[in-house]
């Protein structure tokens, strides 16, 4: 029931009580007039009590009408704050000191071998190579300018044979054609060289010479 409907209902009840109270007074007066004096006093007292009760009830109704109904109380829902779990901070790994190992220096033997003396037959070999100069010049017939060539080969002093030829032209723009390379290898290989070497120097040696043409 709304407050407006409640006030309307209280107002109707109050009017009904007033009409009832007025009617009761009239009825009481008529009865008092018709009864003897003793009964009249008793009836008066009853009427007074009834009138007092009616007045009290009327006062209560008027008081209830004046007081408005309290507004409805809204339930307040208290929101619980969301509690986020605490993430523990990462623990850094323990610091490790670098290992330091001291090694005492150990004496080592010398790796430098004794310098070997050139073979005794090397000068004879150079002279015989120089003697083949005219034949080597024929390998470069038609060349506009002279050149320089590094020749490296394995020489067997006992048999006088040479093998494992390496030819390296020297100077800017120097280059050997295939026919020239074959000709130079043929001239330097044949005939075999005549070298006199001690028994300890009969093993092949790697010799490198510079040849001009």
């Amino acid at each position: 029931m709304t407050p407006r409907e409640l006030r309307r209902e209280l107002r109707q009840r109050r009017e009904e009580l007033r009409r009832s109270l007025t009617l009761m007074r009239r009825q009481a007066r008529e009865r008092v007039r018709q009864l003897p004096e003793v009964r009249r006093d008793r009836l008066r007292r009853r009427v007074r009590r009834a009138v007092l009760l009616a007045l009290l009830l009327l006062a209560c109704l008027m008081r209830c009408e004046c007081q408005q109904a309290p507004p409805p109380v809204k339930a307040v829902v208290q929101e619980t704050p969301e509690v986020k779990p605490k993430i523990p901070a990462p623990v850094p790994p323990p610091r490790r000191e670098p290992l330091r190992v001291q090694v005492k220096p150990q004496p080592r033997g010398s790796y430098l071998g004794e310098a070997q003396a050139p073979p005794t037959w090397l000068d004879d070999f150079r002279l015989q190579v120089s003697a083949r100069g005219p034949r080597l010049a024929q390998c470069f017939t038609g060349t506009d300018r002279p050149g320089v060539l590094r020749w490296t080969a394995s020489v067997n002093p006992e048999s006088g044979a040479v093998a494992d030829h390496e030819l390296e032209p020297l100077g800017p723009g120097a280059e050997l054609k295939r026919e020239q390379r074959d000709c130079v290898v043929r001239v330097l290989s044949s005939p075999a060289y005549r070298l006199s070497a001690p028994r300890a120097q009969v093993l092949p040696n790697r010799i490198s010479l510079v040849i001009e043409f």
Side-chain angles (χ1 to χ4, degrees), residues 121-122 124-126 128-129 132 135 151 153-165 185-198 201-205 207:
W121 48 265
L122 183 58
D124 293 339
F125 180 72
R126 289 175 177 173
Q128 294 181 36
V129 171
R132 303 187 186 195
R135 294 175 56 195
W151 173 52
S154 298
V155 182
N156 190 338
E158 186 177 6
S159 62
V162 291
D164 300 333
H165 301 271
V185 172
R186 186 168 54 253
V187 171
L188 294 176
S189 301
S190 181
Y193 297 91
R194 295 180 181 181
L195 304 174
S196 59
Q201 298 181 0
V202 295
L203 296 178
N205 291 265
I207 303 299

Side-chain angles (χ1 to χ4, degrees), residues 53-118:
L53 290 176
L55 291 175
L56 290 175
L57 181 59
L58 182 60
C60 291
L61 291 176
M62 293 178 65
R63 185 175 181 182
C64 292
E65 184 181 1
C66 295
Q67 293 181 352
Q68 297 181 357
V73 180
K74 296 182 180 180
V76 180
V77 180
Q78 185 176 4
E79 297 182 358
T80 305
E82 183 180 357
V83 180
K84 296 183 179 180
K86 294 183 179 180
I87 301 176
V91 180
R95 184 178 180 183
R96 297 182 179 179
E97 296 292 336
L99 297 177
R100 297 180 181 178
V101 180
Q102 294 182 356
V103 181
K104 295 182 180 180
Q106 300 292 332
R108 298 181 180 180
S110 176
Y111 291 98
L112 300 177
E114 297 180 358
Q116 296 182 357

